[in-house]
Amino acid sequence: MNNNFLAEAESADSTDKLKACREKFVIDDEQVVYLDGNSLGRLPLASKALAQKVVNEEWGKQLIGGWNNRWYSLSSSLGAKLSPLIGARPHEVIFADSTSVNLFKLAYAALQSLPSRKKIVIDAFNFPSDHYILQGVAQMLSAGHEITIIPSTDGVTIKDKDIENALDEDTALVCLSHVGYQTSFKYNMKAVTQMVHKVGAKIIWDLSHSAGAVPVDLNGCRADYAVGCSYKYLNGGPGATAYLYVREDLIPDSQTPVWGWFGDAKPFAFNLQYTPAEGIQRFLAGTPPVLSLSTVEPALDIILEAGIEQVYAKSKKQSEYFLKMLEHLHHQFPDLVIASPKDPEKRGSHITIQHPGAAGITQALIKPAHSNIAVVTDFRKPNFIRFGITPLYTSYQELYKAYGRLYEILVNKEYLNYPETIKGVT
Ligand SMILES: *Cc1c(COP(=O)(O)O)cnc(C)c1O
């Protein structure tokens, strides 16, 4: 243990410009260090209040009239609200369905736009659901698409060159997570998008670990398509509605595979022949889930008010601080290895470590036997532990507490007292 780290945390917290943001969230127990905002963000007080209002006032009293007041345009108005956080124009973004379903719709649209090309490129770091969706779309189209998976050569990053070498004139689609869920590796979106366009292919960026954590400039990179979820760094709530982006000039020729009435040009004309809506609304399918959409808005307001540049600056500073402590632990306990990129430009807002006892360590952090500090992190197979940094509510002293607990767990070998597998969701 090194107590200069504590003094550093106290000083950084006292001058932190985002300190007041923490008060905008429900903090049920100050003893719990929550470092899992990369899986499920905390509940904003304003979302709690709005959820009650939507149920009691809007659903309870307005009933069907609610559609004409606020609900009907919510998918689009929230898309417009999110757009500056991902560098898009307001009419290029819409909230709908889950990330997986949105990826399915956009992968279909992308492949349909380049029917003679048969190659799909993805990397080994992308989220399993993204792999499954592409496998499913390829199978559904029965057009001979083949999926190429780019491996990581160092276990932490993917080299731009390795993506470039996989691209050719037969490549239709590249689908990558901007920030990878395992090691937090972040691509250079502009460079990769340019190399994809050079061979005439399309790219879908998954922003699930980027939006709300790191600045994203879809327009500046001329990205074709993007998807993402709103329950991680955007703090929209469990299962909150996801979003999708289609670059303006691609919308008119982009076809969704799900022809539902909300994607029709005139849903309430009740025509029997489908005509796609002109705009991004064509990617809606059915009635939007108003309750889960509603909690997204106050959460977005907090980030917009704080400013994504400020959030990102604090994320980098907190990550550097946490990494410094992890390096310290690594020297004492060489089995603990940092599995995130060292270069802040190549990283998102979580830090991953590896240790042979990772499952036990995670459980000892979450449910300590002899400490009153619980640290909520998550375990990812085979031996990763992720620490999510959410600058809106994570303090430096919390990171110090996480380091302190890691030290105790390693020095006392507490992890040996826990089972080697973890049940349920982590
Ligand atoms: C969290 C996450 C998802 C989640 O997909 P859902 O369909 O919303 O459950 C998808 N992709 C990535 C990269 C993620 O990190």
Side-chain angles (χ1 to χ4, degrees), residues 38-39 97-103 125-130 133 176-182 205-210 227-232 239-243 386:
N38 54 321
S39 270
D97 306 308
S98 64
T99 312
S100 304
V101 172
N102 288 336
L103 180 60
F125 279 170
N126 211 342
F127 200 63
S129 197
D130 295 40
I133 293 292
L176 300 170
S177 279
H178 178 224
V179 173
Y181 80 102
Q182 269 174 326
W205 287 105
D206 191 325
L207 305 178
S208 292
H209 279 86
S210 311
V227 294
C229 73
S230 63
Y231 50 79
K232 293 172 182 163
T241 310
Y243 57 88
R386 305 186 306 170

Side-chain angles (χ1 to χ4, degrees), residues 368-385:
H370 305 292
S371 169
N372 55 10
I373 298 169
V375 181
V376 181
T377 60
D378 63 33
F379 169 74
R380 287 291 175 267
K381 279 185 177 170
N383 58 4
F384 293 112
I385 309 173

